[in-house]
Amino acid sequence: MSYGAAAALQAAIYTRLTSTPALVGVPVVDAMPSGGGTGTFVLIGPEDVLDQSDKSGGGAEHRLTVAVISDFAGFKAAKDVAVAVSDALIDAPMALTRGHLVGLRFLRAKAVRLDEGGTRRIDLSFRARVED
């Protein structure tokens, strides 16, 4: 098992999201903007990585979260962006600079209100299988 493909996977996800027509104008970041950010943005978030090596070679399962955060009223704006993120990532062909992405699957989503209801956050959880 290796964590070696983690940065390459994040870069490929970033490239995929920023080149998706449905997400044009939606910032994609990997750290919360100073001041918490305004509008709607996509946050490439935390991940857990599990060894998936076998006798054929090294591999890892990356369980990662991509969040959509929006201060627009209601969940519709956030959900529209979350759908675009999900559609862009599920089984998308992505070339990594290190390792090989076998597949990326949706696991679950959780939508919540933050800041006494002023902000919406939708955490989309994915499982990516990477081979060395």
Side-chain angles (χ1 to χ4, degrees):
M1 182 241 168
S2 172
Y3 191 64
L9 178 60
Q10 180 175 331
I13 288 169
Y14 175 84
T15 299
R16 178 73 179 172
L17 294 176
T18 57
S19 65
T20 297
L23 295 171
V24 168
V26 178
V28 178
V29 298
D30 71 349
M32 286 293 288
S34 60
T38 59
T40 301
F41 60 95
V42 174
L43 175 66
I44 299 173
E47 69 180 336
D48 291 318
V49 181
L50 307 167
D51 182 19
Q52 293 293 308
S53 300
D54 58 24
K55 64 182 178 182
S56 68
E61 178 180 292
H62 295 251
R63 293 187 182 190
L64 56 110
T65 301
V66 178
V68 175
I69 301 171
S70 179
D71 62 4
F72 291 128
F75 274 102
K76 177 140 178 22
K79 286 182 179 181
D80 288 344
V81 172
V83 167
V85 167
S86 182
D87 288 348
L89 293 180
I90 295 174
D91 288 329
M94 288 187 270
L96 291 117
T97 57
R98 180 172 176 176
H100 169 74
L101 179 64
V102 175
L104 194 147
R105 304 266 191 239
F106 173 79
L107 292 176
R108 67 182 170 279
K110 181 177 181 179
V112 297
R113 288 185 178 86
L114 305 173
D115 301 328
E116 298 179 12
T119 303
R120 276 59 172 165
R121 179 179 177 129
I122 301 173
D123 286 338
L124 301 162
S125 298
F126 297 93
R127 180 180 62 87
R129 173 75 164 93
V130 177
E131 293 179 343
D132 292 338

